[in-house]
Amino acid sequence: MSLDVFGQDPWWLSAIKAVIIFVILVLLTLFNIWWERKVVARMQHRIGPNVHGPFGLLQSLADGVKLALKEDIVPKAADKVVFIIAPVITVVPAFVTFSVIPFGPEVGVPFSDLTTPLQLTDMPVAVLFVMAIASIGIYGIVLGGWSSGSTYSLLGGLRSSAQMISYEVSMGLALVAVFLYAGSLSTSEIVAAQEDWWFGLVLLPSFVVYVISMVGETNRAPFDLPEAEGELVGGFHTEYSSLKFALFFLGEYINMATVSALATTLFLGGWRAPFWIDKLYPGFNEGYWPVLWFFGKVLGFIFMFIWLRGTLPRLRYDQFMDFGWKVLIPVSLAWIVAVAAIRAATLDGGLDRQGLIVVGAVVAVVLVALLFVGGDESEDVSPVAEPTGAFPIPSLPEGGAVRGAAAPLVFPTSATPTTPGSTTGPSGGSAAGTATATRTAHEES
């Protein structure tokens, strides 16, 4: 699809497209919340939402109405203007990024003789536009944490800024290989370049790095460190309530859909039919069929988000940052050099591209393996004096904590024999004798 077909729609058709995208994202958010609750409930042998609406589908709508009717609280120490604007800054870019995502090819408009691409707009630097707009959403989280006047919220905002900056670097590097192969930054042209082979197969290391980075970018488990309730109560939105909290919630789920749609567009052929079934029937890539393939792939990524949340524990923050800077970014840089060498060699017509791709993938796997090997992380632990007292406290292992399964605990037996019908008190004597002595002293006084 050429970029010349964009910008030719009448204003009312562009307005209809924008409204349809907004409605789809809102409905997709309500569905994703319900779907996440049902899937996690199945994983935990529970029922999940099943009361409001058929199969509980209206549960998310009921929760949204409940949030809207709750009391809207603004902390006394908050910067009120920034506190109110921050959720809006988070949610608006999440909607805007979908303006350059292609949902399908050029189709005919019902009840008219017009044809239009199933995409609001496109531009030569559409992917950079998505990355830039997504970066603006970080400001909403940071400003929301700072303006709350709460230490926990501030720490959550700082965590989020460091996390998103770190993982946006690896995400951007993962996309460089796609640009080299597609020869364009336009989303529609990148989809057209995947007519024969999806970039998720040809550029597998880039695809893996992008998938990991997009989970960290969206603050989802196991990378939900800005919202770690164990140490931050609730993170950057601790002080938010009512509709402002609902906007943060909406922004998170739309960002999930955005990064999933971008992964589908850049690595899984976009709206093209999966498993090359269009070879059996070319009509699968024509008309409105591609919309079905596109959302099927997007929902597959969202299911992955839900699966990760239901199975993996939250990482420690330093481990998470080390993984981004010491593993993902070096691997991405090495893979970009390999892909650039492959493209330069194949464009000159000298070497076999498939063989070079295999060699590059093997080199990337070896680099990843080397990054996980080496380094003794054991620390010198000074001996700890064992506590004294009558309580049966087991001794600490020599050298501190050990990895793996813990040895069975062996509690020392009490040295004072007990008679039947009496219990041992804290000081080693019987509880009955202690109670009698206490009562006698009270009567004498």
Side-chain angles (χ1 to χ4, degrees), residues 289-378:
W289 270 105
V291 178
L292 178 64
W293 311 133
F294 176 81
F295 281 104
K297 297 173 186 177
V298 170
L299 291 177
F301 279 110
I302 292 176
F303 178 77
M304 183 201 69
F305 277 105
I306 299 171
W307 195 352
L308 291 176
R309 179 173 182 176
T311 54
L312 295 181
R314 181 181 293 120
L315 297 179
R316 211 171 62 200
Y317 191 72
D318 60 330
Q319 295 174 337
F320 174 62
M321 297 299 290
D322 284 346
F323 181 69
W325 286 101
K326 297 181 180 179
V327 178
L328 294 183
I329 294 178
V331 168
S332 299
L333 290 172
W335 176 243
I336 289 172
V337 173
V339 170
I342 293 171
R343 292 298 290 168
T346 53
L347 290 177
D348 291 339
L351 298 175
D352 180 26
R353 182 175 66 179
Q354 299 298 331
L356 286 174
I357 290 173
V358 172
V359 173
V362 171
V363 171
V365 171
V366 172
L367 287 175
V368 173
L370 290 176
L371 289 170
F372 283 101
V373 175
D376 186 9
E377 298 181 359
S378 60

Side-chain angles (χ1 to χ4, degrees), residues 178-442:
V178 175
F179 304 153
L180 290 174
Y181 260 75
S184 173
L185 276 70
S186 163
T187 51
S188 59
E189 292 182 353
I190 290 175
V191 172
Q194 301 178 73
E195 183 176 1
D196 296 326
W197 286 94
W198 294 351
F199 290 153
L201 301 175
V202 178
L203 305 172
L204 183 60
S206 294
F207 180 50
V208 173
V209 170
Y210 178 85
V211 169
I212 297 174
S213 301
M214 77 180 189
V215 179
E217 177 75 8
T218 52
N219 295 335
R220 292 282 301 183
F223 301 150
D224 54 338
L225 279 308
E227 305 170 13
E229 67 275 2
E231 60 263 25
L232 297 180
V233 184
F236 58 90
H237 51 58
T238 299
E239 304 297 336
Y240 280 90
S241 60
S242 190
L243 279 179
K244 291 193 288 292
F245 175 79
L247 288 179
F248 275 123
F249 205 63
L250 179 65
E252 175 183 336
Y253 276 86
I254 293 179
N255 282 329
M256 284 173 52
T258 300
V259 295
S260 300
L262 196 60
T264 298
T265 301
L266 301 182
F267 292 101
L268 296 187
W271 45 262
R272 296 190 174 277
F275 311 117
W276 295 274
I277 61 175
D278 57 306
K279 304 297 183 183
L280 303 176
Y281 173 56
F284 282 144
N285 275 338
E286 300 173 359
Y288 290 91
W289 270 105
V291 178
L292 178 64
W293 311 133
F294 176 81
F295 281 104
K297 297 173 186 177
V298 170
L299 291 177
F301 279 110
I302 292 176
F303 178 77
M304 183 201 69
F305 277 105
I306 299 171
W307 195 352
L308 291 176
R309 179 173 182 176
T311 54
L312 295 181
R314 181 181 293 120
L315 297 179
R316 211 171 62 200
Y317 191 72
D318 60 330
Q319 295 174 337
F320 174 62
M321 297 299 290
D322 284 346
F323 181 69
W325 286 101
K326 297 181 180 179
V327 178
L328 294 183
I329 294 178
V331 168
S332 299
L333 290 172
W335 176 243
I336 289 172
V337 173
V339 170
I342 293 171
R343 292 298 290 168
T346 53
L347 290 177
D348 291 339
L351 298 175
D352 180 26
R353 182 175 66 179
Q354 299 298 331
L356 286 174
I357 290 173
V358 172
V359 173
V362 171
V363 171
V365 171
V366 172
L367 287 175
V368 173
L370 290 176
L371 289 170
F372 283 101
V373 175
D376 186 9
E377 298 181 359
S378 60
E379 299 178 356
D380 295 333
V381 180
S382 57
V384 181
E386 294 189 10
T388 58
F391 289 101
I393 301 177
S395 59
L396 294 174
E398 296 182 2
V402 295
R403 294 185 178 181
L409 298 178
V410 179
F411 293 95
T413 57
S414 177
T416 304
T418 59
T419 59
S422 65
T423 58
T424 303
S427 60
S430 66
T434 304
T436 303
T438 304
R439 185 171 61 252
T440 303
H442 177 71

Side-chain angles (χ1 to χ4, degrees), residues 40-297:
V40 174
R42 286 290 183 179
M43 291 180 176
Q44 299 172 351
H45 298 285
R46 297 184 289 107
I47 297 176
N50 65 340
V51 176
H52 300 290
F55 308 104
L57 281 169
L58 298 181
Q59 180 65 54
S60 303
L61 183 61
D63 291 338
V65 173
K66 178 190 71 174
L67 275 176
L69 297 179
K70 280 183 173 291
E71 183 180 2
D72 190 8
I73 299 173
V74 178
K76 187 176 181 181
D79 187 322
K80 293 182 175 55
V81 176
V82 181
F83 186 80
I84 294 173
I85 293 176
V88 180
I89 297 177
T90 298
V91 75
V92 169
F95 282 101
V96 173
T97 50
F98 256 83
S99 60
V100 294
I101 299 295
F103 294 90
E106 194 170 1
V107 297
V109 179
F111 310 110
S112 71
D113 56 352
L114 296 175
T115 59
T116 182
L118 290 177
Q119 183 176 354
L120 181 58
T121 187
D122 198 3
M123 58 190 74
V125 290
V127 181
L128 291 184
F129 169 79
V130 172
M131 300 295 289
I133 295 297
S135 301
I136 295 176
I138 302 175
Y139 287 95
I141 294 177
V142 176
L143 292 176
W146 170 78
S147 65
S148 298
S150 168
T151 304
Y152 293 115
S153 301
L154 177 60
L155 289 175
L158 293 176
R159 276 190 178 188
S160 181
S161 60
Q163 173 175 329
M164 289 185 171
I165 290 172
S166 303
Y167 278 76
E168 272 193 354
V169 174
S170 58
M171 179 184 290
L173 291 175
L175 302 182
V176 172
V178 175
F179 304 153
L180 290 174
Y181 260 75
S184 173
L185 276 70
S186 163
T187 51
S188 59
E189 292 182 353
I190 290 175
V191 172
Q194 301 178 73
E195 183 176 1
D196 296 326
W197 286 94
W198 294 351
F199 290 153
L201 301 175
V202 178
L203 305 172
L204 183 60
S206 294
F207 180 50
V208 173
V209 170
Y210 178 85
V211 169
I212 297 174
S213 301
M214 77 180 189
V215 179
E217 177 75 8
T218 52
N219 295 335
R220 292 282 301 183
F223 301 150
D224 54 338
L225 279 308
E227 305 170 13
E229 67 275 2
E231 60 263 25
L232 297 180
V233 184
F236 58 90
H237 51 58
T238 299
E239 304 297 336
Y240 280 90
S241 60
S242 190
L243 279 179
K244 291 193 288 292
F245 175 79
L247 288 179
F248 275 123
F249 205 63
L250 179 65
E252 175 183 336
Y253 276 86
I254 293 179
N255 282 329
M256 284 173 52
T258 300
V259 295
S260 300
L262 196 60
T264 298
T265 301
L266 301 182
F267 292 101
L268 296 187
W271 45 262
R272 296 190 174 277
F275 311 117
W276 295 274
I277 61 175
D278 57 306
K279 304 297 183 183
L280 303 176
Y281 173 56
F284 282 144
N285 275 338
E286 300 173 359
Y288 290 91
W289 270 105
V291 178
L292 178 64
W293 311 133
F294 176 81
F295 281 104
K297 297 173 186 177

